[in-house]
Amino acid sequence: MATKTTIADLFPDDEGMILVAEDVSDGSPRHITEVANGGNCGCTCFGCGRRLIARNGGDPNVRAYSFAHRPEDNVVDCVSSGETALHIRAKEIIAKHCRVTLPTTFTPGLDGKPVEVSPERSIQLMDVHLETAAEEVVPDVIATMPDGRRLFIEIANTHPCPPEKIEKLDAVGVEVLEITVSSYRSHPLDELDDIILDIAPRKLIHSAEVKAMAAKIAEQKQRQEDAKVAEAKRLVAIYRDPDIWNHKKAQKLVDDLVQLGLSEFLDLDDNRPSAFVVYRRQWQAAIFDRLSKTKSALGAMDVIESFSKGGWPKMDIAYTTSEHSRWIAANVAEDFKSPYEEAFAYLTLLKVTGAVYEVRGKRFVMEHDLRTRITTATERRTRPERQRKELRIAFEGVGSLMFPEDGRLPDYDVWLKSRAEYFDLSVDELLADEDGGYEELLDQVIAVRTMIEEMQRFKDVNPPDEMAGLPMDRLINRLGLARLEAEQRAEAELAARREREAIETAARLKQEAADRVYKAEEAAMFDVDDAFMGTPLPEHEGKTPRELAAESSDGLKQVQAILWKIRDDKVAAERAERARKAMVDKLCDRVYSRNLRRDVADLWLTAQCKELGWIKPLDYCKDEKTLARCLEVLEEFAANEQKRRRR
């Protein structure tokens, strides 16, 4: 049974057996299953062109079918037959259709990213030839494109076109298309048309269009490179421009750091090119000063942002990136640096000297010991001027408390000089306070001011032993007299106030007594008669309720307690009377229900009863217990009365 021939069948298997050969009559590929057995198979080898013997008789499970070379041809390991057959088939397909699809072509652009040169397209072909020698190469297929250019086509099965062949093809100067069919080895040869023409992966190894575009891009790249170099040279010239201007505030920072003994951290004598319009020592001083005054980390970009606000970076190189700056240094001028790199280099130098340490993100913090050193040096340097101002404030504070009649303070500088002489010091030595003279003088001035403030509040204070050389006699006399006058006024005002308070207190107490009496009378209105408020109370030393309430709040509470007891007793008596009447009514009902004569029943109720302790039943009956006793006596009386009637 015939088998469809695939690309894989064209090639000898692992044991070297040939499964497909060329038909001598028409040159078509014939599978071993399609031909007669033996030497009359009519097939030749694709590789060497010699006649083959077909071995396809018998059981294929016993002996695999295959073609073999004749023994007399003495051909050993003929393995090129498959490649030749594949190339012939590809040539036949391309020659048959006279067209092929060219892939999209790309070449690296100026930015290195692929740029499309030509789109994927199908082109018509002419003069298609198989393995025709051209120069030093033998392409698989040679054809002519519509524009007259030659096209070499290479069919790759397992290996792409080798580098040495690519070099030779490049020297020929033609379009070279490589079509890879390794992924289609299982496809029948009869179905290869679309695969060879359009589908199989392909690439243009050489393309005049790609070369032209690459040359154009290379030319553009060179122009850009030339322009980049020219621009770099311009920036270098700006960087090396010696026109630097002096920034007064920044120079003061430099002077301050020098006076603090920190010149080792600045380039004081420096004539190198700079990325800034101010002297190197000045922008370094600005960075050093900022590091010393903040505990947060500082980076080079923070510095540049701050400097940019003041216009310190040279304008044309202010925004030069580090990458561009490094390129200029590597290709044009090795000393070139951007403002950022200059600042970062200085911060790095400070790190090397131990002035700062680096934290995450290329940021720097000043070392604690150096910060302490700066603080100490700054305090020592600024101490005289600071203490001069501090002493002046205290001095002028005394003057602000003086009246014209107290006289005037001397000129501050004259007074300060006289005080320094008092301590056997110069003014500068006094303000430096090396031996405590300044502190003593300041304490004296503060003591004088404190004395004045206390005397202004009319306090009796003793003047300090040392008046700091200030003329205070007239002021002390004035304030002393003012204090005496104030004391006299205070005594008079106190006496008057006490008299007013006594009158007000008496009136208030009288009104409070009247209010308490009113509250007592109001409470007694519904429980006692009018005479109650004037009735002496023995338990309260014979005082009447009115007197007791007027006496104090406790007296009012005692009157209220008496009234509450009277009210409670009255309520209890009323409750007891109601209960007694209820018991009497029950007793009367029982008496009259015993069928006694009316006069006898009335007599029993109102007569003294021996059994009840000679008390009348109506008086004896008060509650349930006494009612029960009365009913017992009643039953005995009723029984006796019935006996008497029966007699």
Side-chain angles (χ1 to χ4, degrees), residues 75-343:
V75 177
V76 181
D77 294 333
C78 179
V79 296
S80 64
S81 60
E83 296 289 348
T84 304
L86 178 60
H87 295 165
I88 291 173
R89 184 59 181 160
K91 178 260 182 184
E92 289 175 348
I93 292 172
I94 295 173
K96 173 184 175 183
H97 296 280
C98 292
R99 74 172 187 83
V100 73
T101 293
L102 299 181
T104 304
T105 58
F106 299 90
T107 191
L110 292 172
D111 57 358
K113 296 180 180 179
V115 174
E116 183 176 321
V117 178
S118 60
E120 182 181 83
R121 63 199 188 279
S122 178
I123 63 171
Q124 295 298 314
L125 301 175
M126 299 176 291
D127 300 329
V128 179
H129 300 284
L130 171 64
E131 296 193 356
T132 301
E135 304 297 338
E136 297 183 4
V137 296
V138 181
D140 293 338
V141 179
I142 297 177
T144 302
M145 298 172 62
D147 58 5
R149 286 181 292 163
R150 286 192 300 171
L151 174 65
F152 289 1
I153 302 176
E154 292 289 330
I155 307 298
N157 175 37
T158 57
H159 303 290
C161 191
E164 59 273 12
K165 187 172 183 179
I166 291 177
E167 291 181 5
K168 293 178 180 179
L169 290 171
D170 185 33
V172 176
V174 297
E175 307 294 300
V176 180
L177 175 66
E178 182 179 67
I179 301 174
T180 302
V181 296
S182 57
S183 299
Y184 302 94
R185 291 175 61 86
S186 62
H187 282 64
L189 295 181
D190 294 342
E191 300 176 9
L192 283 181
D193 291 39
D194 291 340
I195 293 172
I196 295 295
L197 295 174
D198 305 306
I199 299 174
R202 62 202 61 215
K203 64 179 178 178
L204 276 169
I205 298 176
H206 289 291
S207 168
E209 294 172 332
V210 172
K211 285 185 177 181
M213 178 62 76
K216 182 179 178 181
I217 291 174
E219 183 180 351
Q220 292 176 349
K221 189 173 183 179
Q222 185 59 49
R223 286 199 299 270
Q224 287 186 352
E225 192 72 16
D226 294 342
K228 186 175 181 181
V229 170
E231 174 62 13
K233 290 180 179 179
R234 187 183 73 85
L235 296 179
V236 170
I238 294 172
Y239 178 73
R240 293 176 176 173
D241 185 354
D243 186 15
I244 302 294
W245 54 279
N246 181 52
H247 193 283
K248 293 182 179 180
K249 289 185 178 179
Q251 183 58 40
K252 176 141 188 340
L253 291 177
V254 174
D255 296 339
D256 289 344
L257 292 177
V258 171
Q259 293 180 18
L260 292 174
L262 301 169
S263 58
E264 63 191 280
F265 301 109
L266 303 176
D267 291 317
L268 296 178
D269 298 321
D270 179 74
N271 295 318
R272 289 175 295 164
S274 175
F276 299 97
V277 297
V278 299
Y279 288 104
R280 186 181 303 276
R281 62 179 178 273
Q282 294 179 352
W283 61 258
Q284 287 179 346
I287 295 177
F288 193 89
D289 180 69
R290 185 169 174 182
L291 283 167
S292 68
K293 291 180 178 177
T294 178
K295 293 184 179 179
S296 58
L298 182 68
M301 187 54 67
D302 301 322
V303 171
I304 297 306
E305 289 177 356
S306 176
F307 285 179
S308 295
K309 294 177 181 178
W312 284 16
K314 290 181 178 178
M315 184 175 299
D316 287 358
I317 62 175
Y319 301 102
T320 304
T321 64
S322 295
E323 180 182 2
H324 190 199
S325 178
R326 288 192 292 270
W327 183 89
I328 294 175
N331 296 277
V332 181
E334 63 180 3
D335 62 337
F336 182 85
K337 287 185 176 66
S338 67
Y340 172 86
E341 288 181 312
E342 290 250 20

Side-chain angles (χ1 to χ4, degrees), residues 295 354-357 365-375:
K295 293 184 179 179
V356 301
Y357 61 90
V365 180
M366 181 166 285
E367 291 285 357
H368 175 74
D369 290 346
L370 178 57
R371 196 186 300 276
T372 302
R373 171 184 167 187
I374 294 172
T375 301

